[in-house]
Amino acid sequence: ACYYLGNLLYDKKQQQEAIKLWEQSRELDGTFSIVHRNLALAYFNIKKDAGAAKTSLETAFTANPSDARLLYELDQLEKRLNADPPARLARLEAHRPLVDRRDDLTVELAALYNQQNRPDDVLALLQQRIFHPWEGGEGKVAEQYVQAHLARGRAALHSGQLDVALAEFTAT
C-alpha cells in the first residue's frame, strides 16, 4: 500500500511525501526491487543526492539481478556520475545475458568497447544483432559502427597498411 500510494503521490507532484512512503515500503520489504529503483530516481532527481541514488539502484539490482532495465538504469546513473569506464564495462560483461536483452544496453557496451579501443569487439557485437528503432536511440548504433571503423582505419594508417585503412574509412 505504501508503494502504490507513493506512486500516486509522486505522479501528483507530491514527491517528498512519495519518498517517505517508498521509504516505509522499503522498510516493510527490503527485497522489493522496484521501490529501491523509484527511490533512486527520487533521490537523484528530487533530493539531488547522487550517492543515495546509486546505493538504492545497486540495492534494486541486487534484489532482482535478472531485471535488464535495472542494469541499464544503474549503468546510466554511473555514466552520469562519470564512473570509471573500465568498471562499467566489467559490470556489463559480467551480465552479458542481460545486456543481450536490450538494444540500449548493447549500444552502451559497444560505446565502452570503443572507449577502450576495442573496435573488433564493437563490430562483432553490432553485426550479431538486429536492432529495433527506439525513441532517443536515433543514430546511436551507427555512431558506434562508424567509430569502430575509424579506429581500425587509423590503426591501419599508422602501421602503413594504406589499402586496409582506405577500406575501413570507406566502411564508415
Side-chain angles (χ1 to χ4, degrees), residues 3 36 54 69 87 98 110 141 144 160:
Y3 164 74
H36 291 286
K54 187 172 186 285
R69 179 182 68 168
L98 290 179
V141 176
Q144 297 311 316

Side-chain angles (χ1 to χ4, degrees), residues 19 32-33 55 77 79 83 86 99 103 113 118 139 141 151 158 169 171:
I19 291 169
F32 184 35
S33 65
T55 298
L77 178 60
K79 183 178 177 180
V99 170
D103 287 347
Y113 281 151
R118 293 172 56 182
V141 176
H158 183 70
F169 294 143

Side-chain angles (χ1 to χ4, degrees), residues 6-137:
N7 291 349
L8 176 66
L9 292 177
Y10 197 86
D11 178 62
K12 301 301 179 192
K13 309 296 184 219
Q14 297 179 41
Q15 291 100 344
Q16 296 301 331
E17 190 59 34
I19 291 169
K20 289 178 189 172
L21 286 163
W22 285 335
E23 288 171 339
Q24 280 184 288
S25 177
R26 177 187 62 199
E27 295 307 314
L28 292 169
D29 181 2
T31 66
F32 184 35
S33 65
I34 300 305
V35 78
H36 291 286
R37 180 241 182 214
N38 288 3
L39 281 167
L41 294 173
Y43 289 155
F44 189 82
N45 294 321
I46 304 304
K47 291 196 167 193
K48 310 299 184 205
D49 186 343
K54 187 172 186 285
T55 298
S56 286
L57 212 41
E58 287 173 336
T59 303
F61 185 61
T62 299
N64 188 359
S66 65
D67 189 335
R69 179 182 68 168
L70 293 175
L71 178 60
Y72 175 71
E73 290 176 352
L74 178 56
D75 182 67
Q76 290 301 290
L77 178 60
E78 288 183 334
K79 183 178 177 180
R80 287 191 73 172
L81 298 176
N82 296 314
D84 183 46
R88 288 180 50 222
L89 177 59
R91 183 192 310 256
L92 294 185
E93 286 182 324
H95 297 285
R96 189 58 195 277
L98 290 179
V99 170
D100 291 342
R101 291 187 200 168
R102 293 183 62 108
D103 287 347
D104 48 10
L105 264 174
T106 301
V107 170
E108 286 301 324
L109 180 58
L112 288 164
Y113 281 151
N114 267 328
Q115 289 175 20
Q116 299 302 304
N117 196 29
R118 293 172 56 182
D120 294 338
D121 291 331
V122 173
L123 295 174
L125 180 67
L126 297 182
Q127 291 169 350
Q128 72 183 8
R129 184 179 185 92
I130 296 174
F131 290 87
H132 302 88
W134 76 93
E135 186 174 341

Side-chain angles (χ1 to χ4, degrees), residues 153-161 165:
R154 285 189 295 270
L157 190 60
H158 183 70
S159 67
Q161 298 174 307

